[in-house]
Amino acid sequence: MSRFSKIFRSFAVADGLVLAYLLELNIAVLRAAPHPMRTRSLLEALGLLATYVVCLGLVRSGALGSNVWRALLYRIGIYGTVQQSYVFFKHLLPVVNPGSLDHQLFALDHALFGFEPAVWADQFVTPATTEWFAFFYFCYFFLLAAHIFPIVFGSRDQMLLGEFMLGMLIIVCVGHTGYILVPGFGPFRAFPELFKHELPSGMWMDLVWSTVRSNGAQKDIFPSLHTAGPCFIAMFSFRNRDQLPFRYTWPLLTFFAANIIGATMFLRWHYVIDVIAGFAMATMAALVSPAVTRWELARRKAQNLPPLVPLFGSKSASGSAPDNAGRATA
């Protein structure tokens, strides 16, 4: 068997997912009409793809002798490039799809549900309600960080680690693809005339505004990742509630996820169809990721392949096999 074939066999489903996503970004920019930011967007997309290919090639080929570098490069390649792509979306989205589908999304909400929650909630706008929802909206970033860093960089359980990483990558890659296909600004910008009350200033609301204005992609509404991310983490935690800390955190995470969903509409960022799409995507990721991870671990054990996700501090590059409980031992 050729060296290339061995490397290809060691690829995981998540590896192929991210590769397809980064190729999609490059193709979308290449097919875009002339635009002042087109060259910059193409260089950024090519840079992400090149970084990913180099990192993944070094990891899956076994060229790195250090387990620490193998583990770090894998996380940079497969997760870092996907997250960094969002930072580039502020320039990339107007290049690949300069239009907006706000009116179509608004009309779809009325056709399906008869009203728009963001407009309906305008009657309840007060400093207290705004701060309540702004707090939960901003907590989205803390909730993700509190799970991504400990699990992705600290977990040695290949089943837990593989399930979480694949689920989050499904959400981000599919979600970012949705931004490209269904661009929109959200009710607050598309239909300002429908709101009688301005959202009052406050500590948390000001933090939300500054974060969105400085780092937001601006046309990133469908599907709602503020819905998908917390919902997936809540489902993931409930599924793994036999383990610490999820045994105690899943009810709190469910409460936070519900309030974050409400915040996306109360603060006028999302249409209800965005939220439904985000919840559907979280459900899909929660169902698909454990099944695929179990299959991956069994395949790697049978073919004596390296670990699904390289671990920090592992003593061997050999594959880690699931034990009787379906977990992986390092």
Side-chain angles (χ1 to χ4, degrees):
M1 184 181 294
S2 68
R3 184 174 181 83
F4 179 80
S5 297
K6 291 180 179 179
I7 295 174
F8 183 77
R9 282 177 58 240
S10 72
F11 273 32
V13 171
D15 301 345
L17 172 66
V18 174
L19 179 61
Y21 166 69
L22 294 176
L23 285 171
E24 168 202 308
L25 293 186
N26 282 270
I27 293 170
V29 177
L30 286 171
R31 290 172 56 88
H35 189 281
M37 299 301 296
R38 185 170 179 265
T39 300
R40 173 175 175 171
S41 295
L42 181 58
L43 290 174
E44 290 172 341
L46 282 171
L48 292 176
L49 179 60
T51 300
Y52 178 71
V53 169
V54 170
C55 289
L56 193 66
L58 289 171
V59 170
R60 293 305 188 196
S61 67
L64 294 173
S66 169
N67 290 314
V68 173
W69 280 111
R70 186 183 299 115
L72 183 61
L73 277 181
Y74 185 75
R75 285 152 178 80
I76 291 173
I78 199 167
Y79 205 85
T81 55
V82 173
Q83 290 288 40
Q84 182 62 30
S85 70
Y86 179 79
V87 178
F88 296 155
F89 268 26
K90 191 171 185 177
H91 306 115
L92 187 146
L93 289 179
V95 171
V96 300
N97 201 338
S100 167
L101 296 177
D102 283 279
H103 285 81
Q104 289 87 337
L105 293 171
F106 185 80
L108 184 60
D109 276 2
H110 276 268
L112 294 176
F113 312 106
F115 79 117
E116 185 59 63
V119 178
W120 173 81
D122 180 64
Q123 61 188 305
F124 302 109
V125 170
T126 66
T129 56
T130 302
E131 280 293 275
W132 172 273
F133 284 114
F135 166 77
F136 283 103
Y137 190 88
F138 197 77
C139 279
Y140 164 84
F141 304 106
F142 294 108
L143 189 152
L144 261 62
H147 289 80
I148 290 173
F149 289 104
I151 296 175
V152 171
F153 289 91
S155 177
R156 295 174 63 82
D157 183 330
Q158 286 276 303
M159 181 65 200
L160 189 81
L161 185 56
E163 176 187 344
F164 181 81
M165 286 190 69
L166 178 59
M168 289 301 298
L169 287 169
I170 289 173
I171 285 172
V172 179
C173 292
V174 175
H176 285 185
T177 301
Y179 295 166
I180 294 173
L181 298 176
V182 189
F185 293 101
F188 84 99
R189 183 167 171 182
F191 303 101
E193 69 280 0
L194 298 180
F195 301 100
K196 297 180 180 179
H197 306 93
E198 289 190 11
L199 296 173
S201 177
M203 182 183 76
W204 292 106
M205 190 63 216
D206 292 346
L207 279 172
V208 169
W209 273 120
S210 62
T211 301
V212 171
R213 286 168 175 162
S214 60
N215 300 307
Q218 309 306 320
K219 298 171 72 176
D220 52 333
I221 62 169
F222 185 93
S224 168
L225 291 196
H226 259 72
T227 297
C231 285
F232 169 75
I233 292 175
M235 295 174 189
F236 169 85
S237 300
F238 180 78
R239 170 179 164 73
N240 292 285
R241 64 191 183 280
D242 59 322
Q243 301 186 58
L244 292 174
F246 309 116
R247 182 182 308 163
Y248 303 107
T249 60
W250 76 262
L252 182 63
L253 290 169
T254 303
F255 176 76
F256 266 71
N259 276 278
I260 291 171
I261 290 172
T264 65
M265 293 178 285
F266 186 91
L267 299 181
R268 306 165 182 175
W269 302 124
H270 285 287
Y271 305 99
V272 68
I273 195 65
D274 307 337
V275 170
I276 292 174
F279 184 80
M281 190 166 61
T283 303
M284 175 193 69
L287 293 173
V288 168
S289 59
V292 171
T293 302
R294 282 194 299 271
W295 173 81
E296 283 272 14
L297 290 174
R299 180 178 75 91
R300 288 176 180 276
K301 179 183 178 182
Q303 300 181 17
N304 194 31
L305 295 173
L308 177 61
V309 181
L311 298 173
F312 287 101
S314 57
K315 296 181 180 180
S316 171
S318 62
S320 56
D323 59 21
N324 292 333
R327 301 289 173 185
T329 55

